[in-house]
Amino acid sequence: HDDLKGLHTALMISVNKDGSLNEEGTRQIVRHNIDRMKVDGLYVGGSTGENFLLDTDMKKRVFEVVKDEAGSEVTLIGQIGGTNVYEAIDLAHFVTDLGYDAISAVTPFYYKYNFEEIRDYYKMIAQAVDNRLLIYSIPDLTGVEISVENFKALFEIDNIVGVKFTAADFFLLERLRKACPDELILSGFDEMLLPAVVNGVDGAIGSTYNVNGVKAREIFDLARQNKIDQALEVQHQTNDLIEAILDNGLYPTIKEILKLMGVDAGYNRRPMASASDSQIAQAKAIYDQYLS
Ligand code: HMN
């Protein structure tokens, strides 16, 4: 599964003021990530893609537009999971037919499921389509924690090839890496890329790679060459940027920075607020200080 390794942008989408998809802007975001951020792949339909705010038709249109623009230039992973497993299966078929290289499914959330129910959800999706599946674990947003033993049980399901691991729990990551040396682990927190690589992840998926993909690549490459001091220096610089972005509001700020880079990133879909005038001004200051 070498094509799933490396650095993938958690893709933003461009939204019009009325909440509809800005297709041309979304195409620009795709091109920008491929041509200028030079990432290995795009993770489409994740948290950063405002996926959990979209209806099924809009999710499908995003998947279509991205595939149409990206072609086979980079690896495409379609995040199809959510609260409705039947929709997840429908979307899994949809992106597989479009030619996505893999699918990913967030752990089912909202109701408190036991592990049998979580496993059932993954089995239903994995058995429905002929494609590789990455579990998407993001306990901060879903409240769903998965133990090493339970990860191992999920990895036994045919078609499940790994996990997108978005957590700051490095003990769990280390235990998981040791227990499952052959599964793909892609880390999710951009500000912890270096320690994740030191712990043996195969790659990473991140929101800030939309604007900081080149520096992230430096961290990734230096760390894999065991040049830890140099990698840490770039991680320090990167985290000054990420801290400033987080302080100003993560997704709206990335969109405003994209605009300063000439990309029509549009608005956020309500109820997620778009950047206010003061956030826009601060995004410009962040861009000037760290990215121009
Ligand atoms: C996605 O599904 O959009 C991403 O893969 C999620 C990704 O892990 C991001 N997590 C969240 O936004 C919650 C990170 O890139 C994160 O935004 C970044 O590390 C800043 O904290």
Side-chain angles (χ1 to χ4, degrees), residues 188-244:
F189 274 128
D190 317 357
E191 54 277 48
M192 302 172 215
L193 178 58
L194 169 58
V197 177
V198 169
N199 273 280
V201 299
D202 302 290
I205 298 170
S207 64
T208 62
Y209 307 159
N210 280 282
V211 295
N212 195 49
V214 174
K215 275 259 167 68
R217 169 78 59 195
E218 276 181 49
I219 298 170
F220 190 61
D221 288 349
L222 287 167
R224 286 194 309 169
Q225 295 158 21
N226 258 319
K227 297 179 179 165
I228 303 301
D229 289 354
Q230 290 173 57
L232 183 57
E233 186 48 43
V234 186
Q235 186 79 69
H236 282 320
Q237 295 161 15
T238 290
N239 287 2
D240 289 342
L241 166 70
I242 293 179
E243 188 173 35

Short mmCIF file of all heavy atoms in Angstrom, two decimals, residues 188-244:
data_model
loop_
_atom_site.label_atom_id
_atom_site.label_comp_id
_atom_site.label_asym_id
_atom_site.label_seq_id
_atom_site.Cartn_x
_atom_site.Cartn_y
_atom_site.Cartn_z
N GLY A 188 -2.64 12.27 12.39
CA GLY A 188 -3.57 13.36 12.07
C GLY A 188 -3.22 14.72 12.63
O GLY A 188 -3.75 15.71 12.15
N PHE A 189 -2.37 14.81 13.64
CA PHE A 189 -2.11 16.14 14.20
C PHE A 189 -0.82 16.72 13.63
O PHE A 189 0.28 16.27 13.93
CB PHE A 189 -2.06 16.09 15.73
CG PHE A 189 -3.42 16.21 16.37
CD1 PHE A 189 -3.86 15.29 17.31
CD2 PHE A 189 -4.27 17.26 16.05
CE1 PHE A 189 -5.12 15.41 17.91
CE2 PHE A 189 -5.53 17.39 16.64
CZ PHE A 189 -5.94 16.46 17.56
N ASP A 190 -0.98 17.75 12.82
CA ASP A 190 0.13 18.36 12.10
C ASP A 190 1.21 18.90 13.05
O ASP A 190 2.40 18.85 12.74
CB ASP A 190 -0.37 19.52 11.22
CG ASP A 190 -1.65 19.18 10.48
OD1 ASP A 190 -2.13 18.03 10.61
OD2 ASP A 190 -2.18 20.07 9.80
N GLU A 191 0.75 19.40 14.21
CA GLU A 191 1.69 19.99 15.17
C GLU A 191 2.52 18.91 15.88
O GLU A 191 3.46 19.22 16.60
CB GLU A 191 0.95 20.88 16.17
CG GLU A 191 -0.21 20.25 16.93
CD GLU A 191 -1.52 20.27 16.14
OE1 GLU A 191 -1.50 19.88 14.96
OE2 GLU A 191 -2.56 20.62 16.73
N MET A 192 2.16 17.64 15.67
CA MET A 192 2.90 16.53 16.29
C MET A 192 3.45 15.60 15.22
O MET A 192 3.66 14.41 15.47
CB MET A 192 1.97 15.77 17.24
CG MET A 192 1.39 16.66 18.32
SD MET A 192 0.12 15.84 19.30
CE MET A 192 -0.98 17.22 19.61
N LEU A 193 3.72 16.15 14.05
CA LEU A 193 4.19 15.30 12.94
C LEU A 193 5.52 14.63 13.28
O LEU A 193 5.69 13.42 13.07
CB LEU A 193 4.31 16.15 11.65
CG LEU A 193 4.84 15.42 10.42
CD1 LEU A 193 3.98 14.22 10.06
CD2 LEU A 193 4.91 16.40 9.23
N LEU A 194 6.46 15.42 13.82
CA LEU A 194 7.79 14.84 14.10
C LEU A 194 7.70 13.67 15.09
O LEU A 194 8.19 12.58 14.78
CB LEU A 194 8.75 15.94 14.60
CG LEU A 194 10.07 15.43 15.18
CD1 LEU A 194 10.85 14.59 14.18
CD2 LEU A 194 10.92 16.61 15.66
N PRO A 195 7.09 13.84 16.28
CA PRO A 195 7.01 12.68 17.18
C PRO A 195 6.23 11.51 16.58
O PRO A 195 6.52 10.36 16.90
CB PRO A 195 6.33 13.22 18.44
CG PRO A 195 5.75 14.54 18.07
CD PRO A 195 6.57 15.06 16.94
N ALA A 196 5.29 11.80 15.72
CA ALA A 196 4.54 10.70 15.08
C ALA A 196 5.47 9.91 14.15
O ALA A 196 5.46 8.68 14.15
CB ALA A 196 3.34 11.25 14.32
N VAL A 197 6.28 10.64 13.37
CA VAL A 197 7.20 9.95 12.47
C VAL A 197 8.23 9.15 13.28
O VAL A 197 8.56 8.01 12.94
CB VAL A 197 7.91 10.94 11.51
CG1 VAL A 197 8.92 10.21 10.63
CG2 VAL A 197 6.88 11.65 10.64
N VAL A 198 8.71 9.74 14.38
CA VAL A 198 9.66 9.02 15.24
C VAL A 198 9.02 7.72 15.74
O VAL A 198 9.70 6.71 15.91
CB VAL A 198 10.11 9.92 16.41
CG1 VAL A 198 10.87 9.11 17.45
CG2 VAL A 198 10.95 11.08 15.90
N ASN A 199 7.72 7.74 15.95
CA ASN A 199 7.01 6.54 16.40
C ASN A 199 6.62 5.60 15.25
O ASN A 199 5.91 4.63 15.48
CB ASN A 199 5.78 6.92 17.21
CG ASN A 199 6.12 7.12 18.68
OD1 ASN A 199 6.26 6.16 19.43
ND2 ASN A 199 6.30 8.37 19.08
N GLY A 200 7.08 5.93 14.06
CA GLY A 200 6.96 4.97 12.97
C GLY A 200 5.70 5.03 12.14
O GLY A 200 5.35 4.04 11.48
N VAL A 201 5.02 6.18 12.12
CA VAL A 201 3.85 6.25 11.24
C VAL A 201 4.29 6.22 9.77
O VAL A 201 5.43 6.53 9.45
CB VAL A 201 2.99 7.53 11.50
CG1 VAL A 201 2.47 7.54 12.93
CG2 VAL A 201 3.76 8.79 11.17
N ASP A 202 3.37 5.83 8.92
CA ASP A 202 3.68 5.69 7.49
C ASP A 202 3.43 6.97 6.71
O ASP A 202 3.80 7.06 5.53
CB ASP A 202 2.80 4.59 6.89
CG ASP A 202 3.02 3.27 7.59
OD1 ASP A 202 4.11 2.70 7.44
OD2 ASP A 202 2.12 2.83 8.32
N GLY A 203 2.78 7.91 7.35
CA GLY A 203 2.45 9.14 6.66
C GLY A 203 1.55 9.97 7.56
O GLY A 203 1.37 9.66 8.74
N ALA A 204 0.99 11.03 6.97
CA ALA A 204 0.15 11.92 7.76
C ALA A 204 -0.89 12.59 6.88
O ALA A 204 -0.70 12.71 5.67
CB ALA A 204 1.02 12.97 8.45
N ILE A 205 -1.96 12.99 7.53
CA ILE A 205 -3.07 13.67 6.85
C ILE A 205 -3.36 14.92 7.66
O ILE A 205 -3.58 14.81 8.88
CB ILE A 205 -4.33 12.76 6.82
CG1 ILE A 205 -4.05 11.48 6.04
CG2 ILE A 205 -5.52 13.52 6.23
CD1 ILE A 205 -5.14 10.42 6.16
N GLY A 206 -3.34 16.09 7.05
CA GLY A 206 -3.53 17.28 7.87
C GLY A 206 -4.19 18.45 7.18
O GLY A 206 -4.07 18.62 5.96
N SER A 207 -4.85 19.26 8.00
CA SER A 207 -5.55 20.44 7.49
C SER A 207 -4.58 21.55 7.10
O SER A 207 -4.77 22.23 6.10
CB SER A 207 -6.50 20.98 8.56
OG SER A 207 -5.76 21.41 9.70
N THR A 208 -3.52 21.71 7.92
CA THR A 208 -2.63 22.86 7.65
C THR A 208 -1.75 22.62 6.43
O THR A 208 -1.11 23.55 5.94
CB THR A 208 -1.74 23.19 8.87
OG1 THR A 208 -0.89 22.07 9.17
CG2 THR A 208 -2.58 23.54 10.09
N TYR A 209 -1.74 21.38 5.90
CA TYR A 209 -0.96 21.14 4.68
C TYR A 209 -1.58 21.88 3.49
O TYR A 209 -0.92 22.07 2.47
CB TYR A 209 -0.85 19.64 4.37
CG TYR A 209 -0.32 18.81 5.54
CD1 TYR A 209 -0.55 17.44 5.61
CD2 TYR A 209 0.40 19.40 6.57
CE1 TYR A 209 -0.08 16.68 6.68
CE2 TYR A 209 0.86 18.66 7.64
CZ TYR A 209 0.62 17.29 7.69
OH TYR A 209 1.08 16.55 8.75
N ASN A 210 -2.85 22.31 3.62
CA ASN A 210 -3.45 23.17 2.59
C ASN A 210 -2.61 24.43 2.36
O ASN A 210 -2.62 24.98 1.26
CB ASN A 210 -4.87 23.60 2.99
CG ASN A 210 -5.92 22.53 2.75
OD1 ASN A 210 -6.36 22.32 1.62
ND2 ASN A 210 -6.34 21.85 3.81
N VAL A 211 -1.94 24.92 3.41
CA VAL A 211 -1.16 26.15 3.28
C VAL A 211 0.31 25.96 3.64
O VAL A 211 1.14 26.80 3.33
CB VAL A 211 -1.76 27.30 4.13
CG1 VAL A 211 -3.14 27.68 3.59
CG2 VAL A 211 -1.86 26.94 5.61
N ASN A 212 0.63 24.86 4.32
CA ASN A 212 2.00 24.68 4.83
C ASN A 212 2.58 23.32 4.42
O ASN A 212 3.43 22.76 5.10
CB ASN A 212 1.98 24.81 6.37
CG ASN A 212 3.36 24.98 6.95
OD1 ASN A 212 4.15 25.82 6.49
ND2 ASN A 212 3.67 24.19 7.98
N GLY A 213 2.12 22.83 3.28
CA GLY A 213 2.53 21.48 2.86
C GLY A 213 4.03 21.34 2.62
O GLY A 213 4.60 20.27 2.86
N VAL A 214 4.66 22.42 2.18
CA VAL A 214 6.07 22.32 1.83
C VAL A 214 6.94 22.12 3.08
O VAL A 214 7.84 21.27 3.13
CB VAL A 214 6.51 23.56 1.03
CG1 VAL A 214 8.01 23.56 0.76
CG2 VAL A 214 5.74 23.62 -0.30
N LYS A 215 6.62 22.90 4.13
CA LYS A 215 7.36 22.76 5.40
C LYS A 215 7.08 21.40 6.04
O LYS A 215 7.97 20.78 6.64
CB LYS A 215 6.95 23.86 6.38
CG LYS A 215 7.70 25.16 6.21
CD LYS A 215 8.80 25.31 7.26
CE LYS A 215 9.78 26.42 6.95
NZ LYS A 215 9.17 27.74 7.05
N ALA A 216 5.84 20.96 5.94
CA ALA A 216 5.50 19.64 6.50
C ALA A 216 6.34 18.56 5.84
O ALA A 216 6.82 17.63 6.49
CB ALA A 216 4.01 19.36 6.33
N ARG A 217 6.53 18.69 4.55
CA ARG A 217 7.37 17.73 3.81
C ARG A 217 8.80 17.73 4.36
O ARG A 217 9.42 16.68 4.51
CB ARG A 217 7.38 18.12 2.33
CG ARG A 217 8.41 17.38 1.50
CD ARG A 217 7.97 15.99 1.15
NE ARG A 217 6.74 16.06 0.41
CZ ARG A 217 5.93 15.01 0.19
NH1 ARG A 217 6.24 13.83 0.67
NH2 ARG A 217 4.81 15.16 -0.49
N GLU A 218 9.31 18.93 4.68
CA GLU A 218 10.67 19.00 5.25
C GLU A 218 10.74 18.22 6.55
O GLU A 218 11.69 17.46 6.78
CB GLU A 218 11.05 20.46 5.53
CG GLU A 218 11.58 21.23 4.35
CD GLU A 218 11.95 22.65 4.76
OE1 GLU A 218 12.65 22.84 5.78
OE2 GLU A 218 11.51 23.58 4.07
N ILE A 219 9.75 18.42 7.41
CA ILE A 219 9.74 17.71 8.70
C ILE A 219 9.71 16.21 8.45
O ILE A 219 10.48 15.44 9.04
CB ILE A 219 8.51 18.12 9.55
CG1 ILE A 219 8.56 19.61 9.89
CG2 ILE A 219 8.43 17.27 10.83
CD1 ILE A 219 7.27 20.14 10.51
N PHE A 220 8.82 15.81 7.58
CA PHE A 220 8.62 14.38 7.30
C PHE A 220 9.92 13.76 6.77
O PHE A 220 10.37 12.70 7.26
CB PHE A 220 7.49 14.26 6.27
CG PHE A 220 6.99 12.86 6.05
CD1 PHE A 220 6.44 12.12 7.08
CD2 PHE A 220 7.06 12.29 4.78
CE1 PHE A 220 5.96 10.83 6.86
CE2 PHE A 220 6.58 11.00 4.56
CZ PHE A 220 6.03 10.28 5.60
N ASP A 221 10.54 14.42 5.81
CA ASP A 221 11.74 13.86 5.20
C ASP A 221 12.92 13.85 6.17
O ASP A 221 13.64 12.86 6.29
CB ASP A 221 12.11 14.63 3.92
CG ASP A 221 11.14 14.33 2.78
OD1 ASP A 221 10.33 13.38 2.92
OD2 ASP A 221 11.19 15.05 1.77
N LEU A 222 13.12 14.99 6.87
CA LEU A 222 14.24 15.07 7.82
C LEU A 222 14.08 14.01 8.91
O LEU A 222 15.04 13.34 9.30
CB LEU A 222 14.31 16.47 8.45
CG LEU A 222 14.82 17.58 7.54
CD1 LEU A 222 14.53 18.95 8.17
CD2 LEU A 222 16.32 17.43 7.28
N ALA A 223 12.87 13.85 9.40
CA ALA A 223 12.65 12.88 10.48
C ALA A 223 12.95 11.48 9.99
O ALA A 223 13.55 10.67 10.71
CB ALA A 223 11.22 12.99 10.98
N ARG A 224 12.54 11.19 8.76
CA ARG A 224 12.78 9.83 8.27
C ARG A 224 14.25 9.58 7.96
O ARG A 224 14.69 8.44 7.92
CB ARG A 224 11.89 9.56 7.05
CG ARG A 224 10.44 9.35 7.52
CD ARG A 224 9.60 8.75 6.44
NE ARG A 224 9.75 9.51 5.21
CZ ARG A 224 9.29 9.11 4.04
NH1 ARG A 224 8.67 7.95 3.95
NH2 ARG A 224 9.44 9.86 2.97
N GLN A 225 14.99 10.67 7.77
CA GLN A 225 16.45 10.51 7.60
C GLN A 225 17.17 10.56 8.94
O GLN A 225 18.39 10.66 8.99
CB GLN A 225 17.00 11.63 6.70
CG GLN A 225 16.51 11.59 5.27
CD GLN A 225 16.65 12.96 4.59
OE1 GLN A 225 17.44 13.80 5.01
NE2 GLN A 225 15.86 13.18 3.55
N ASN A 226 16.40 10.56 10.02
CA ASN A 226 16.96 10.60 11.37
C ASN A 226 17.66 11.91 11.71
O ASN A 226 18.49 11.94 12.62
CB ASN A 226 17.92 9.44 11.60
CG ASN A 226 17.23 8.36 12.41
OD1 ASN A 226 16.50 8.68 13.36
ND2 ASN A 226 17.44 7.12 12.04
N LYS A 227 17.35 12.97 10.97
CA LYS A 227 17.93 14.28 11.28
C LYS A 227 16.97 14.99 12.22
O LYS A 227 16.26 15.95 11.85
CB LYS A 227 18.16 15.07 9.99
CG LYS A 227 19.17 14.39 9.07
CD LYS A 227 19.36 15.18 7.79
CE LYS A 227 20.38 14.50 6.90
NZ LYS A 227 20.35 15.01 5.51
N ILE A 228 16.95 14.49 13.46
CA ILE A 228 15.90 14.91 14.39
C ILE A 228 16.05 16.37 14.81
O ILE A 228 15.05 17.09 14.91
CB ILE A 228 15.90 13.98 15.63
CG1 ILE A 228 15.73 12.50 15.20
CG2 ILE A 228 14.81 14.38 16.62
CD1 ILE A 228 14.46 12.21 14.43
N ASP A 229 17.27 16.82 15.04
CA ASP A 229 17.45 18.22 15.46
C ASP A 229 16.94 19.19 14.39
O ASP A 229 16.24 20.16 14.69
CB ASP A 229 18.93 18.53 15.71
CG ASP A 229 19.43 17.85 16.98
OD1 ASP A 229 18.58 17.26 17.69
OD2 ASP A 229 20.65 17.90 17.24
N GLN A 230 17.28 18.88 13.15
CA GLN A 230 16.83 19.76 12.06
C GLN A 230 15.31 19.67 11.89
O GLN A 230 14.64 20.68 11.68
CB GLN A 230 17.50 19.36 10.74
CG GLN A 230 18.99 19.69 10.69
CD GLN A 230 19.63 19.11 9.43
OE1 GLN A 230 19.22 19.40 8.32
NE2 GLN A 230 20.64 18.28 9.62
N ALA A 231 14.80 18.47 12.01
CA ALA A 231 13.34 18.31 11.89
C ALA A 231 12.63 19.09 13.00
O ALA A 231 11.60 19.73 12.76
CB ALA A 231 12.97 16.83 11.96
N LEU A 232 13.21 19.04 14.20
CA LEU A 232 12.57 19.75 15.33
C LEU A 232 12.59 21.26 15.10
O LEU A 232 11.63 21.95 15.44
CB LEU A 232 13.28 19.38 16.63
CG LEU A 232 12.68 19.97 17.91
CD1 LEU A 232 11.20 19.58 18.07
CD2 LEU A 232 13.47 19.53 19.14
N GLU A 233 13.66 21.75 14.50
CA GLU A 233 13.73 23.18 14.22
C GLU A 233 12.57 23.59 13.27
O GLU A 233 11.90 24.60 13.50
CB GLU A 233 15.09 23.51 13.58
CG GLU A 233 15.35 24.98 13.38
CD GLU A 233 15.03 25.83 14.60
OE1 GLU A 233 15.39 25.43 15.73
OE2 GLU A 233 14.38 26.88 14.43
N VAL A 234 12.33 22.78 12.25
CA VAL A 234 11.24 23.10 11.31
C VAL A 234 9.88 22.89 11.99
O VAL A 234 8.93 23.64 11.74
CB VAL A 234 11.34 22.25 10.02
CG1 VAL A 234 10.30 22.71 9.01
CG2 VAL A 234 12.73 22.33 9.42
N GLN A 235 9.78 21.89 12.86
CA GLN A 235 8.52 21.70 13.61
C GLN A 235 8.26 22.91 14.51
O GLN A 235 7.11 23.36 14.62
CB GLN A 235 8.59 20.42 14.45
CG GLN A 235 7.27 20.07 15.15
CD GLN A 235 6.25 19.41 14.23
OE1 GLN A 235 6.42 18.30 13.79
NE2 GLN A 235 5.16 20.12 13.93
N HIS A 236 9.31 23.45 15.13
CA HIS A 236 9.14 24.66 15.96
C HIS A 236 8.57 25.81 15.12
O HIS A 236 7.62 26.48 15.53
CB HIS A 236 10.47 25.10 16.56
CG HIS A 236 10.92 24.30 17.75
ND1 HIS A 236 10.07 23.87 18.74
CD2 HIS A 236 12.16 23.87 18.12
CE1 HIS A 236 10.77 23.19 19.66
NE2 HIS A 236 12.03 23.17 19.30
N GLN A 237 9.18 26.04 13.96
CA GLN A 237 8.68 27.13 13.08
C GLN A 237 7.23 26.87 12.68
O GLN A 237 6.38 27.76 12.70
CB GLN A 237 9.53 27.22 11.80
CG GLN A 237 10.97 27.60 12.02
CD GLN A 237 11.83 27.23 10.80
OE1 GLN A 237 11.31 26.94 9.71
NE2 GLN A 237 13.14 27.21 10.98
N THR A 238 6.98 25.62 12.32
CA THR A 238 5.64 25.23 11.89
C THR A 238 4.62 25.43 13.00
O THR A 238 3.50 25.87 12.77
CB THR A 238 5.67 23.76 11.43
OG1 THR A 238 6.42 23.70 10.22
CG2 THR A 238 4.28 23.20 11.20
N ASN A 239 5.03 25.10 14.23
CA ASN A 239 4.07 25.20 15.32
C ASN A 239 3.80 26.64 15.74
O ASN A 239 2.74 26.93 16.29
CB ASN A 239 4.52 24.32 16.50
CG ASN A 239 4.31 22.85 16.18
OD1 ASN A 239 3.87 22.50 15.09
ND2 ASN A 239 4.63 21.97 17.13
N ASP A 240 4.75 27.55 15.46
CA ASP A 240 4.43 28.97 15.65
C ASP A 240 3.25 29.32 14.73
O ASP A 240 2.30 30.00 15.14
CB ASP A 240 5.63 29.85 15.30
CG ASP A 240 6.75 29.74 16.34
OD1 ASP A 240 6.48 29.28 17.46
OD2 ASP A 240 7.89 30.12 16.00
N LEU A 241 3.33 28.84 13.50
CA LEU A 241 2.24 29.08 12.54
C LEU A 241 0.95 28.39 12.99
O LEU A 241 -0.12 29.02 13.01
CB LEU A 241 2.67 28.56 11.16
CG LEU A 241 1.55 28.43 10.12
CD1 LEU A 241 1.05 29.80 9.69
CD2 LEU A 241 2.01 27.63 8.89
N ILE A 242 1.04 27.10 13.34
CA ILE A 242 -0.18 26.36 13.68
C ILE A 242 -0.84 26.96 14.93
O ILE A 242 -2.06 27.10 15.00
CB ILE A 242 0.12 24.86 13.87
CG1 ILE A 242 0.54 24.24 12.53
CG2 ILE A 242 -1.09 24.13 14.45
CD1 ILE A 242 0.89 22.75 12.59
N GLU A 243 -0.01 27.36 15.90
CA GLU A 243 -0.58 27.96 17.12
C GLU A 243 -1.34 29.24 16.78
O GLU A 243 -2.45 29.47 17.27
CB GLU A 243 0.56 28.26 18.11
CG GLU A 243 0.08 28.69 19.47
CD GLU A 243 1.24 28.79 20.46
OE1 GLU A 243 2.37 29.17 20.07
OE2 GLU A 243 1.02 28.48 21.64
N ALA A 244 -0.75 30.05 15.90
CA ALA A 244 -1.41 31.30 15.50
C ALA A 244 -2.72 31.00 14.76
O ALA A 244 -3.73 31.68 14.96
CB ALA A 244 -0.47 32.13 14.63
#
